[in-house]
Amino acid sequence: MRIIIFLGLFSLIVNGVGFGDPDEVKSVSVTEGHSVTLHTDVVKQRDEKIVWTYGPEDTIVAKIIGKANSFKLSEDERFRGRVNLNNQTGDLTISDVRTDHTGLYSLKISSNNKPSYKKFNVTVYARLPVPVISSSSSSERSSRLKCVVLCSVMNVSHDVSVSWYKGKSLLSSISVSDLNISSISLHLECLDDSYTCVLNNPITNQTQHLNTDVCHTCSDSPAMRGFVNTFIVLSVFCLIFVIIIGVCIHNRRGDKDTSYHHLTTNHHQGPAHIP
């Protein structure tokens, strides 16, 4: 039994690893300007021929030709000077990728006329710009002054959203259309916490923090100033009221003490002596 298993594993190594389901496609994501490597997951054998192709036209990106171990890299303008092939594994590396490198990459390994296949769906996301936060005109709603701020982005690609957060709590979010200027507004009575605007796609994000230069802090807001002024006025009135009540109570106690003193004096003197 062990001999059979060993022979099976040896056959896989010699003839190249089978890739399972030939229709299976592995998804790979990368940001524009970075490098991406597509792995064969095999160690190349001497007589194997490895061919990488791209797109529905099966444009040859790179290949290693069998025993001669000779390389051929793509002359396509999209890949020229960007492609590297590992001569031990056949792994394909594309450097400084652009969005037009997005697409389906197919690998074919031929050994003893027994081909194996593998497919990769590569998505290249454009670099995200830093969101821009600006102040809009304040608005009067329900007799309360609100600070309106806008978070704007421009010329972004697919699968991008822009969101407002307060701390870690999501306040609002929208999906951004391709190549359009988009913005999302936030209405604040005052800035009393960490507000951030986040632009993100499935693999990365850009964050911009809202600072006090754009929107007033709560301690400086008209609403807060009004509250403080009202509190001071009420406190003064309360203090005056307490003082008045204290004076009244003191005067009443004084009157009672005076009356009691007179009554006591008259009692000790007794009735008047008549000769």
Side-chain angles (χ1 to χ4, degrees), residues 121-159:
N121 187 30
V122 176
T123 302
V124 181
Y125 291 94
R127 294 178 179 178
L128 293 176
V130 177
V132 177
I133 295 178
S134 59
S135 177
S136 179
S137 57
S138 298
S139 63
E140 192 76 24
R141 292 189 177 183
S142 303
S143 301
R144 305 186 72 177
L145 188 65
K146 287 185 179 288
C147 177
V148 183
V149 290
L150 295 176
C151 180
S152 303
V153 293
M154 185 173 60
N155 295 337
V156 291
S157 60
H158 56 88
D159 294 333

Side-chain angles (χ1 to χ4, degrees), residues 50 70 144 156 183 210 250:
I50 296 179
S70 60
R144 305 186 72 177
V156 291
S183 63
L210 176 60
H250 178 75

Side-chain angles (χ1 to χ4, degrees), residues 9 18-19 46 194:
L9 293 174
F19 298 139
R46 282 186 55 193
S194 176

